[in-house]
């Protein structure tokens, strides 16, 4: 009996070690560690707007970070309440940062109304509310743009209005051109536009691939735009092709290009998202030690592709991370030669 108990304990320990550890809390609302943003989110949850205003003041001119922060704080306001944002707007009626957050909050609220289900499973009432709020968001975006004409963030945010309302292709191209004039290598803008060009929204597989490859081709190292072809591939191929397709020469080339980009990205605010995506691809390719390296940088966070698409994203992230660690250990133990 004692032997059976010890075997059961050993099996449980092995299961925990290989499938659950480390048992740290996973943050499903961010892709990676960002102390400044996390402090601002915590302040907003307590109803305080001043730390949020300070955050935007400290990131003035950093267009990539500004767009990301507006998106995350807008999401928080749309889901958990915007009393702190209302107080900010009342205290500073012409503050361009508050105006931007109001526009982002309206857009995020619209997408909350729509829900994450496929169109065929979304009710007519949900679509009606979604479209009505998105139409209203355009006024908020216009005001934010008028208060900070040089800021690309309102234009980046409008890409999600374009996607939801079905702007014509020429209007999306116009938005992209306007952003490029202000911030030509804005990762968030390109990633948002890529969604529009995907087959599941307003484009096709070919249009998405062409857009991604063109954007990546002229981008400097460290901009992370080499990840766009990987995103386009994932959006159209994952779940449609066998796992062996991940190990094709073409996909390995795209992964290697993105790895080189990541190595020079410094403190790029969207770097954690690309690390998550690379970890997924590297795991599928059996490059376990490289996957572990990417997981190590983002551990504790899961708001990124592919996990955000999955119904149990945190669990899927945890399982993938563990498979990578297990594979890396087994590779080390495997005899050479």
């Amino acid at each position: 009996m004692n032997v059976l108990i010890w075997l059961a304990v050993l099996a449980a320990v092995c299961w925990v070690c290989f499938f659950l550890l480390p048992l740290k809390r996973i943050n499903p609302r961010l892709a990676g560690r960002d102390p400044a943003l996390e402090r601002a989110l915590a302040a907003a949850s307590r109803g305080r707007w001043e730390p949020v205003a300070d955050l935007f003041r400290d990131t003035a001119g950093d267009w990539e970070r500004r767009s990301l922060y507006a998106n995350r704080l807008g999401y928080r306001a749309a889901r958990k309440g915007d009393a702190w944002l209302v107080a900010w707007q009342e205290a500073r009626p012409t503050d361009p940062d508050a105006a931007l957050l109001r526009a982002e909050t309206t857009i995020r609220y619209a997408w909350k109304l729509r829900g994450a289900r496929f169109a065929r499973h979304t009710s007519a009432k949900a679509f009606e509310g979604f479209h009505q709020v998105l139409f209203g968001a355009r006024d908020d975006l216009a005001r934010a743009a008028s208060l900070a004409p040089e800021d690309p963030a309102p234009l980046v945010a409008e890409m999600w209005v374009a996607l939801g309302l079905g702007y014509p292709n020429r209007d999306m191209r116009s938005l992209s051109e306007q952003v490029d004039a202000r911030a030509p290598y804005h990762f968030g803008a390109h990633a948002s536009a890529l969604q529009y060009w995907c087959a599941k929204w307003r484009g096709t597989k070919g249009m998405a691939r062409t857009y991604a490859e063109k954007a990546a081709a002229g981008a400097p190292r460290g901009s992370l735009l080499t990840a766009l072809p990987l995103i386009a591939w994932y959006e159209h191929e994952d779940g449609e092709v066998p796992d062996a397709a991940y190990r094709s020469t073409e996909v390995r080339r795209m992964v290697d290009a993105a790895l080189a980009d990541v190595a020079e990205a410094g403190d790029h605010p969207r770097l954690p998202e690309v690390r998550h995506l690379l970890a997924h691809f590297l795991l599928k390719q059996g490059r376990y030690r490289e996957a572990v390296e990417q997981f190590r940088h983002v551990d504790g966070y899961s708001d990124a592709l592919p996990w955000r698409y999955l119904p149990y994203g945190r669990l899927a992230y945890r399982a993938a991370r563990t498979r990578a660690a297990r594979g890396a250990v087994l590779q080390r133990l495997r005899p050479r030669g």
Side-chain angles (χ1 to χ4, degrees):
M1 188 65 164
N2 287 338
V3 173
L4 292 176
I5 292 175
W6 277 109
L7 287 173
V9 170
L10 179 61
V13 169
C14 289
W15 188 83
V16 168
C17 289
F18 283 109
F19 291 95
L20 286 179
L21 287 182
L23 292 171
K24 67 193 299 182
R25 179 179 177 273
I26 303 295
N27 184 328
R29 295 293 172 243
L30 295 176
R33 186 173 181 270
D34 189 328
L37 176 57
E38 291 178 66
R39 286 193 295 270
L41 287 165
S45 70
R46 296 191 296 270
R48 299 182 60 226
W49 60 266
E50 295 87 351
V52 182
D54 291 343
L55 174 74
F56 278 89
R57 180 200 63 209
D58 294 342
T59 55
D62 186 342
W63 303 131
E64 190 78 63
R65 202 173 299 274
R66 180 176 171 80
S67 289
L68 175 63
Y69 287 178
N71 179 276
R72 291 296 82 204
L73 284 154
Y75 181 94
R76 197 259 168 229
R79 298 276 173 162
K80 301 294 184 180
D82 65 349
W84 57 273
L85 178 54
V86 172
W88 184 3
Q89 291 183 287
E90 290 175 348
R92 302 178 182 175
T94 59
D95 190 322
D97 300 331
L100 172 62
L101 267 180
R102 170 52 61 199
E104 275 280 9
T105 299
T106 305
I107 293 167
R108 293 305 123 200
Y109 182 67
W111 284 92
K112 176 188 174 185
L113 290 177
R114 185 201 181 281
R117 309 178 97 187
F118 289 115
R120 63 180 178 273
H121 300 307
T122 303
S123 69
K125 183 177 181 180
F127 268 122
E128 181 181 357
F130 172 57
H131 292 144
Q132 183 177 357
V133 174
L134 279 185
F135 274 114
R138 297 195 296 186
D139 292 335
D140 293 334
L141 287 166
R143 184 168 187 275
S146 70
L147 291 171
E150 76 287 355
D151 184 9
L155 296 167
V156 177
E158 190 178 354
M159 289 178 173
W160 287 90
V161 177
L163 193 155
L165 294 181
Y167 280 22
N169 290 176
R170 65 178 180 276
D171 290 349
M172 174 54 84
R173 292 192 181 97
S174 175
L175 277 176
S176 293
E177 289 168 1
Q178 292 176 67
V179 174
D180 286 346
R182 294 165 174 79
Y185 306 113
H186 194 298
F187 180 89
H190 284 88
S192 297
L194 177 57
Q195 286 296 313
Y196 175 95
W197 296 114
C198 284
K200 65 182 180 181
W201 288 110
R202 309 299 176 182
T204 65
K205 176 179 174 179
M207 294 168 78
R209 180 168 181 167
T210 298
Y211 175 83
E213 290 178 348
K214 182 179 179 180
R221 285 280 182 87
S223 67
L224 300 179
L225 294 187
T226 54
L228 294 176
L230 278 179
I231 297 173
W233 191 94
Y234 176 83
E235 290 283 1
H236 296 91
E237 306 296 349
D238 185 76
E240 303 295 328
V241 297
D243 283 355
Y246 273 88
R247 298 189 289 274
S248 69
T249 301
E250 177 192 17
V251 176
R252 289 184 69 92
R253 176 184 56 78
M254 290 191 292
V255 168
D256 289 341
L259 283 170
D261 207 352
V262 161
E264 298 188 33
D267 65 345
H268 195 296
R270 308 300 290 263
L271 177 57
E273 294 172 57
V274 178
R275 289 193 184 279
H276 280 282
L277 187 67
L278 280 171
H280 172 70
F281 273 84
L282 290 165
L283 176 60
K284 290 280 193 177
Q285 291 177 352
R287 300 163 68 175
Y288 301 116
R289 294 170 68 176
E290 293 173 273
V292 167
E293 180 63 21
Q294 300 305 318
F295 277 122
R296 183 177 292 118
H297 285 285
V298 296
D299 200 20
Y301 301 84
S302 65
D303 185 29
L305 286 177
W307 331 118
R308 68 161 62 118
Y309 280 3
L310 304 174
Y312 300 101
R314 280 178 286 184
L315 183 60
Y317 164 81
R318 200 185 288 275
R321 177 197 59 190
T322 303
R323 288 198 303 274
R326 182 177 56 194
V329 169
L330 293 176
Q331 281 185 337
R332 285 180 180 273
L333 295 176
R334 190 172 298 138
R336 296 182 180 180

